[in-house]
Amino acid sequence: MRYLKDLTEGSRVGDIYLIKQRTSAITKNGKNYLNVILQDKTGTIDAKVWEPNSAGIDDFDEKDYVEIVGDVSSYNGALQVSVKRARKAHEGEYDPKDYLPVSEKNIDTMYSELLEIIDRTTNTYLKKLLQTFFVEDEKFIARFKFSSAAKMVHHAFVGGLLEHTLSVTKNCVFFAVQYPKLDRDLLVTAAICHDIGKTAELSPFPENDYTDDGNLLGHIVMGTQMVDEKIRTIEGFPPVLATELKHCILAHHGEYEFGSPKKPALIEAVALNFADDLDAKMETFTELLNKIQDPNQWQGFNRLLDSNIRGTRLE
Amino acid sequence: MRYLKDLTEGSRVGDIYLIKQRTSAITKNGKNYLNVILQDKTGTIDAKVWEPNSAGIDDFDEKDYVEIVGDVSSYNGALQVSVKRARKAHEGEYDPKDYLPVSEKNIDTMYSELLEIIDRTTNTYLKKLLQTFFVEDEKFIARFKFSSAAKMVHHAFVGGLLEHTLSVTKNCVFFAVQYPKLDRDLLVTAAICHDIGKTAELSPFPENDYTDDGNLLGHIVMGTQMVDEKIRTIEGFPPVLATELKHCILAHHGEYEFGSPKKPALIEAVALNFADDLDAKMETFTELLNKIQDPNQWQGFNRLLDSNIRGTRLE
Amino acid sequence: MRYLKDLTEGSRVGDIYLIKQRTSAITKNGKNYLNVILQDKTGTIDAKVWEPNSAGIDDFDEKDYVEIVGDVSSYNGALQVSVKRARKAHEGEYDPKDYLPVSEKNIDTMYSELLEIIDRTTNTYLKKLLQTFFVEDEKFIARFKFSSAAKMVHHAFVGGLLEHTLSVTKNCVFFAVQYPKLDRDLLVTAAICHDIGKTAELSPFPENDYTDDGNLLGHIVMGTQMVDEKIRTIEGFPPVLATELKHCILAHHGEYEFGSPKKPALIEAVALNFADDLDAKMETFTELLNKIQDPNQWQGFNRLLDSNIRGTRLE
Amino acid sequence: MRYLKDLTEGSRVGDIYLIKQRTSAITKNGKNYLNVILQDKTGTIDAKVWEPNSAGIDDFDEKDYVEIVGDVSSYNGALQVSVKRARKAHEGEYDPKDYLPVSEKNIDTMYSELLEIIDRTTNTYLKKLLQTFFVEDEKFIARFKFSSAAKMVHHAFVGGLLEHTLSVTKNCVFFAVQYPKLDRDLLVTAAICHDIGKTAELSPFPENDYTDDGNLLGHIVMGTQMVDEKIRTIEGFPPVLATELKHCILAHHGEYEFGSPKKPALIEAVALNFADDLDAKMETFTELLNKIQDPNQWQGFNRLLDSNIRGTRLE
Amino acid sequence: MRYLKDLTEGSRVGDIYLIKQRTSAITKNGKNYLNVILQDKTGTIDAKVWEPNSAGIDDFDEKDYVEIVGDVSSYNGALQVSVKRARKAHEGEYDPKDYLPVSEKNIDTMYSELLEIIDRTTNTYLKKLLQTFFVEDEKFIARFKFSSAAKMVHHAFVGGLLEHTLSVTKNCVFFAVQYPKLDRDLLVTAAICHDIGKTAELSPFPENDYTDDGNLLGHIVMGTQMVDEKIRTIEGFPPVLATELKHCILAHHGEYEFGSPKKPALIEAVALNFADDLDAKMETFTELLNKIQDPNQWQGFNRLLDSNIRGTRLE
Amino acid sequence: MRYLKDLTEGSRVGDIYLIKQRTSAITKNGKNYLNVILQDKTGTIDAKVWEPNSAGIDDFDEKDYVEIVGDVSSYNGALQVSVKRARKAHEGEYDPKDYLPVSEKNIDTMYSELLEIIDRTTNTYLKKLLQTFFVEDEKFIARFKFSSAAKMVHHAFVGGLLEHTLSVTKNCVFFAVQYPKLDRDLLVTAAICHDIGKTAELSPFPENDYTDDGNLLGHIVMGTQMVDEKIRTIEGFPPVLATELKHCILAHHGEYEFGSPKKPALIEAVALNFADDLDAKMETFTELLNKIQDPNQWQGFNRLLDSNIRGTRLE
């Protein structure tokens, strides 16, 4: 397919795109038309449907995949598509991954790495718990692999939750070697489960926005509850261990003001908070530097990093 | 029985008291003795067992109820008991309520008031939920009536959780009349359930201290989970209503820094936060004024009220 | 009269409106014209006077009531009036309440309720003080009834100060029953007087903006001083009582950072702070939900409530 | 007289001292005695009256001036007086300034300096206001000269309020030269009046503690009101000027969290806040360095200065 | 020359201006043109070069001084220049001070004042240090006189660093008289050197923006290092004195959150912090009042002063 | 030698100990004696020299190593030594490491690890810089190996600075693998140098307290300056690289309120801040758990970790 970022003024477009936004409007002459935003994984473009109810123009909704035929012109310095024909595409005609931001890493490879780490867990109860989620629960696995780790800030793409989780977990595997006081199994299990609540806090792509439950309860409490439910299905799961694991998840934001109802009280909870926060900051910084043309220039104030930043020059 | 607050220098004591603390010590001459703190609902007194392993001195532990025979003297300006005989009492010989701080209000009367309010709930699901806890769950009811609402700050007595809950709930009943936007049933249900997690966050009297789960998870998350579990037993409980109720409980401390993982997002959650905070402050102020001899004097800085305070004089 | 919210494109307007704003401007062709904003209690509309000094166009100022004749057209998606004739109206031709946001509750009814509560005050000095303001001081009464309780946030309408004051007072009446440590008369008097400084902090409608004194001194200090002056006219008013009442007013914002020069040090001051803050938050939330079309949707971050909020659904 | 700091072990004392504290106590043998703290301007000493009701021992109260005859011994490393005789002294037998901490500067000299600055005021209304306080109001003048500027922190001695006020005023005189935007008369008047509320916020020496009004209203509001009252007695005092002066006083702490109900909004209010804060910090630092033996050593964390501090060495 | 603030619609311009900004753009018809902003010390104006590569239009860059011939018209209510001819001017054809915001005070006069203060320093080491910078180091002197004291906030003009430094130093000279505990020489030296790091933190005019080093190290650390380097060239400079001077510079922002790595621990450091902060606030307030037409009106919230402000009226 | 922790009541002591504290005192009978605190690496003990100037009792000072002969008795529940003989020991008679808290890890082994990491640096300038410190500067090396990383909080023992530095560096080596955006050489160099200022901020053991320079300048600025000085000796060191390295050191505390004059603006500075903070928290938690008898018990509030903590139980 021809990606939106490759369109040029004066060319003709004829491909399937995702409808990101669709609103009705009225021209000065009183005629109805549609403002539409087309999306693929390379970006978005404005489009106008000047004759909404004419032949060749199917009715369609936001989040539909629609085959668009039209002309590309320039308006106020930005490209714009005049839509001539619009047809709702059927599932199978398109690959959603062409239309959504997606991890640059291979999702299945990352998942295998995660399973290997799970495999090296020696505590039988924790291993069983991880398997119940990540080996046995098909629906959870599909959702987990497809989720982002955030609406906007960082890892806001398909596979983002997996990529973030794997990276946090690897940090924890290293920490457990470096600091022997840490219990490797508890820490790694907490790392793998720390954000699973995000599969329910955020709606699936292409929406990827806070759900009602997400807004009212939050992924920290939701994830803790998901872990709690699975634990109940595992006979003999030690109750203190269960509480300690749930504590690590509740406390992983590290501070009350970041939404953790408890401050880290166990050494593993402290370590998990670092592993998570480090990965968020590194990824935010990396995404920022990847996005810009001249990383040597100062990038202005970044809210998450709470500083004006620039790429390193080493000269 | 003769209460501790009524003992005088030179008198002899001979009654059953609760052992609040018991530690071994050694005199300058190298002899073992016991430092003991006796407790009843009127206060505490230091006691010494100078001959721990002699005849007439049973072995006993902290939290035991022990019949003490001894002499009351004065040491460094405070009264002290020299224990001559000590015998562990049997259940039935004493009434625990004589030994623990207890609500000045009648627990059963308060409980009836709470049941009446539950009775006036019209939403069938919320009413059923409340009944499942407060009418049907015997074990929960017993624990709820016996709990305090805090380790120390306010309502730190037997029946304190009930007294606080009833008072918060009455505030909410009034608010729902005063502010018609509030849904009375949701608000009242949230009020009645808002602190039920405290039955597990604090251990039962006479200990009344944070449990391990209390320290690691906290009553906000624990209470939310208790509500969640009961809701699952109620067929057809509307899912959004369930989330909204849980949100009110999660958000009832009002601020992240007070341990709520979510800020109040529903008007009922805002109202509940006020009802709870108001009752805590009023009771703290009231307990403080009741405790002191001259309420007209300035009482110094109070941490919860964040101010130097005094009783009102109206002169 | 025909309200602004009922105007439609292509219709003709011919009614008296309040001039909210009036500024001179110049067309690209160098001709003078006027940008005007018309206001009534249902909203505002832009208007243009293309021939300012022609026949039939009176000169007028901001805050004048002006009879406007003109045509309604649509420009950039919003309605606009082309003014053909403009005549300054005389007092009596219009009812100010048609032009200003006004309480939905009946002002006289609310005032009667307030007087009843004053009537039930038993402390003779406090009762006398209240009567001096609310029964005897005609000028104050008129100003009080006409004031808003804020420039923008909540109760920003004619009668808003009365509505807020009554509601806070009712909260206090209830609190005095619920918490016997509270002195009902002191608390209720403080509640009724807590915001009287707003009659001078804000200018009268239609301006309803901070006065110079309001900006430099604030309603807390101004109200305290107003109370102080009246007290001096009451022989034998107990000095400690006077100080305690003034303290309640000074401390009613509860925190230094909200402009109270003293933190609540008396139990009545604590209660008043709750009653006031609760009413502000409930009204803010209510006004917000009333204003929006779909209260079930998330409304975004609200600054006063410090949270993303939505209406309760109960489903 | 022989000052307390000059007493030595084994000597005999026979002079008039101020009774700072007096409490009854009981020996182990059950006998009554008195714990007394004697004070003069050089410090305090513990004293015991072993035979309170015997001949030669007058009854006396705290804050009395009492002639004490007794022996000085050492107990637990500190000196102590055994009182043999005690006689209440009459006014005239002693000079209060020997018993209270007092400014090292001459009070009358400082007052003259203040009057000269007042004299150079050209605005007739402000000059009149200052004279009404500092020339005409005998009672105020006496109280003002005798007051401290604080209970403890800095300038906590007789004449301290005058010394602090003069110093702040001199800072302001300089600022008005340095920064021409400042109105010299408004700034200087505000400086001279900024802390006059302290004459009522603190009780007179020897108590020098917060009064009831001080605790409930604070010197900022009290001083503003004192200024307001005097202004009313001056015919034609311009109302905006009055408000601006009161604003400067209200805002002189600079921040809400330091008890100012308004932030400085006028340039004179900003300048006054600096002049006041600077003098407080300089005096605190100076008193601290004067008090210590080796100012070159680190003095530990000082709360007002919010830092570990030491004297400057210049080596 | 004819200053930009004096241009009128319909006139013709023909003078040398500084190019503040230059960006290429494309008309709707696809033709290239240039958006240019011309600057002189009285302000800026938009200009368009419709035929960029035509005869008479030299190529030029931002920060060039260019002779512009063109017509002044009005567009959207603002003036605009249509550039007909453009020629890069040679050094010598223009005086940079006509194009940059510049102190209203005479730079050489201010510098003489500074030298006089340096001259009155009695400590030989400190005097030598000051002379090494301000008498001997030609390059430093040139840079110091030409620098601003800030990118935007206050003293953001040529000579601003000198003006601010002189003013802070005069404050310190006064403080040293007023508070004898202060060492005049240490304080004055620290005042004169406190912001010298700004000569490297900000690039020279016309850019006047943070340098790379400025962003990464900051003027506090850079200035401390500059002082340190000069001190090493002075034989026998007492090491403690060196450390105390560097401390004053490091701590002159007074608070960690304002970028000082140390809190003031010496009385001179406390005084310097006041002198600096006072001057910044007075100048900010003064610049603000000078800029506005009606200083009696409220000016809205000012971030540095953290308050809504207005000019003083005195009526 | 016989360590202090192994002394028992009634035994006799005869070994060399470090004098931690020595103060003169007077008995009730007026005789001089000495209060002394003896120290070895296992702890401290109180000692009394009852006959300070008698035969067999050498004069000695704090920080001397003194051979003590005496009797161990028990006083108020703690052991105490009555010193009979005291003789100042000569260097060589004792091994300082027996008397100071010392790393449990081998200092030379750790140093070799550090050198290996330095060896793997590929950037020639950074490698040269590290060698200049850690291979060539004998005096620095000796001081670095002997230093602690703190006065009290964590790593407060001989070798502590090396142990902390190595651990932070290993974290960084791992981070550079995990996050490819990080420049390994810059990050590792910054890690190795980040706390070298502590060799001058703290005095050598046994004192191990803040030096005057440490208090006035702090290790962040001191270390940056040490790096700056060495860089000047390396020809051709790239200036931007130098600034970036210094920035990482300046910013390694991450927040202004922790004493960093700059927030991390480079990704390596962000990573270093995490590596350092993580190691501090892990070591603090580990030292705490090692110190206590029952790690499963709640340990109370820890200031650095800002939480009540306990060891992990996994049951």
Side-chain angles (χ1 to χ4, degrees), chain D residues 159-205:
Chain D
L161 179 58
L162 170 55
E163 186 175 329
H164 171 60
T165 299
L166 180 60
S167 188
V168 170
T169 303
K170 282 173 164 179
N171 285 342
C172 287
V173 167
F174 169 77
F175 293 171
V177 173
Q178 175 87 333
Y179 300 104
K181 223 34 170 202
L182 291 165
D183 184 78
R184 185 263 180 211
D185 283 358
L186 175 57
L187 178 56
V188 163
T189 306
I192 294 174
C193 296
H194 84 286
D195 265 355
I196 58 173
K198 286 198 171 162
T199 58
E201 187 188 40
L202 294 164
S203 55
F205 280 100

Side-chain angles (χ1 to χ4, degrees), chain C residues 216 225 228-229 232 243 247, chain D residues 216 225 228-229 232 247:
Chain C
L216 289 171
Q225 186 158 325
D228 187 73
E229 281 162 40
R232 286 163 194 243
T243 295
H247 171 76
Chain D
L216 289 171
Q225 185 157 326
D228 187 74
E229 280 164 38
R232 288 165 192 241
H247 171 76

Side-chain angles (χ1 to χ4, degrees), chain E residues 201 212-218 221 225 228-229 232 240 243-244 246-247 250 256-257 259 261-262 265-266, chain F residues 201 212-218 221 224-225 228-229 232 240 243-244 246-247 250 256-257 259 261-262 265-266:
Chain E
E201 187 188 41
D212 201 60
D213 275 30
N215 265 316
L216 289 171
L217 306 177
V221 169
Q225 186 159 325
D228 187 74
E229 282 164 37
R232 287 164 193 240
V240 172
T243 295
E244 291 178 336
K246 288 190 283 179
H247 171 75
L250 284 178
Y256 295 131
E257 73 234 50
K262 279 286 165 187
L266 303 175
Chain F
E201 186 188 41
D212 201 59
D213 276 30
N215 265 317
L216 288 172
L217 307 177
V221 169
T224 305
Q225 186 159 324
D228 187 74
E229 281 164 36
R232 286 164 192 241
V240 173
T243 295
E244 291 178 335
K246 288 190 285 180
H247 171 76
L250 285 178
Y256 294 131
E257 72 233 50
K262 280 286 166 186
L266 303 174

Side-chain angles (χ1 to χ4, degrees), chain C residues 104-144:
Chain C
E104 293 185 1
K105 294 179 182 152
N106 184 284
I107 288 180
D108 291 330
T109 309
M110 290 192 289
Y111 203 75
S112 301
E113 283 192 72
L114 199 68
L115 290 179
E116 272 173 56
I117 294 172
I118 291 173
D119 227 50
R120 283 197 293 276
T121 307
T122 54
N123 180 301
T124 48
Y125 296 106
L126 294 172
K127 187 173 194 169
K128 177 66 190 152
L129 173 68
L130 291 170
Q131 288 169 335
T132 312
F133 275 114
F134 291 89
V135 179
E136 296 164 16
D137 187 337
E138 296 285 335
K139 203 170 139 199
F140 170 81
I141 295 168
R143 186 82 182 257
F144 183 81

Side-chain angles (χ1 to χ4, degrees), chain C residues 243 246 262, chain D residues 133 139-140 142-150 161 193-205 207-227 229:
Chain C
T243 295
K246 288 190 284 179
K262 278 287 165 186
Chain D
F133 274 115
K139 203 171 141 199
F140 170 80
R143 185 82 181 258
F144 182 81
K145 284 173 161 181
F146 194 64
S147 278
S148 81
L161 179 58
C193 296
H194 84 286
D195 265 355
I196 58 173
K198 286 198 171 162
T199 58
E201 187 188 40
L202 294 164
S203 55
F205 280 100
E207 197 182 52
N208 191 40
D209 203 351
Y210 289 100
T211 61
D212 201 58
D213 275 29
N215 266 317
L216 289 171
L217 306 177
H219 74 275
I220 290 186
V221 169
M222 292 161 92
T224 305
Q225 185 157 326
M226 286 165 71
V227 164
E229 280 164 38

Side-chain angles (χ1 to χ4, degrees), chain B residues 79-125:
Chain B
L79 294 183
Q80 194 179 78
V81 177
S82 271
V83 177
K84 304 301 174 199
R85 274 189 296 144
R87 180 187 60 84
K88 276 183 69 170
H90 314 291
E91 240 177 85
E93 286 190 275
Y94 52 88
D95 180 352
K97 286 184 189 156
D98 286 337
Y99 299 91
L100 300 170
V102 70
S103 175
E104 292 186 359
K105 294 178 183 153
N106 184 286
I107 288 180
D108 291 328
T109 309
M110 290 193 288
Y111 203 74
S112 302
E113 283 192 73
L114 197 69
L115 291 179
E116 272 173 56
I117 293 172
I118 291 174
D119 227 50
R120 284 197 293 274
T121 307
T122 54
N123 180 301
T124 48
Y125 297 106

Side-chain angles (χ1 to χ4, degrees), chain C residues 42-213:
Chain C
T42 69
T44 60
I45 196 168
D46 282 326
K48 307 283 171 189
V49 181
W50 297 114
E51 312 274 347
N53 301 309
S54 61
I57 303 289
D58 282 14
D59 203 21
F60 56 84
D61 271 326
E62 295 186 0
K63 289 183 223 165
D64 283 348
Y65 291 85
V66 178
E67 188 186 18
I68 297 289
V69 177
D71 296 321
V72 181
S73 62
S74 167
Y75 181 73
N76 270 348
L79 294 182
Q80 195 180 79
V81 176
S82 271
V83 176
K84 303 302 173 198
R85 274 190 295 144
R87 180 186 62 83
K88 276 183 69 170
H90 314 291
E91 240 176 85
E93 286 189 272
Y94 53 87
D95 180 352
K97 285 184 189 152
D98 286 337
Y99 299 90
L100 301 170
V102 69
S103 174
E104 293 185 1
K105 294 179 182 152
N106 184 284
I107 288 180
D108 291 330
T109 309
M110 290 192 289
Y111 203 75
S112 301
E113 283 192 72
L114 199 68
L115 290 179
E116 272 173 56
I117 294 172
I118 291 173
D119 227 50
R120 283 197 293 276
T121 307
T122 54
N123 180 301
T124 48
Y125 296 106
L126 294 172
K127 187 173 194 169
K128 177 66 190 152
L129 173 68
L130 291 170
Q131 288 169 335
T132 312
F133 275 114
F134 291 89
V135 179
E136 296 164 16
D137 187 337
E138 296 285 335
K139 203 170 139 199
F140 170 81
I141 295 168
R143 186 82 182 257
F144 183 81
K145 283 174 162 181
F146 193 64
S147 278
S148 81
K151 182 183 168 191
M152 295 200 316
V153 206
H154 62 90
H155 293 98
F157 44 74
V158 172
L161 178 57
L162 170 55
E163 186 175 328
H164 171 60
T165 299
L166 180 61
S167 188
V168 170
T169 305
K170 281 172 163 181
N171 285 342
C172 287
V173 167
F174 169 76
F175 293 170
V177 173
Q178 176 86 334
Y179 300 104
K181 223 31 168 207
L182 292 165
D183 183 78
R184 185 264 181 210
D185 282 358
L186 174 59
L187 178 56
V188 162
T189 304
I192 294 175
C193 296
H194 83 286
D195 264 354
I196 59 173
K198 286 198 172 161
T199 58
E201 186 190 40
L202 294 165
S203 55
F205 279 101
E207 199 182 52
N208 191 41
D209 203 351
Y210 289 100
T211 61
D212 201 61
D213 276 30

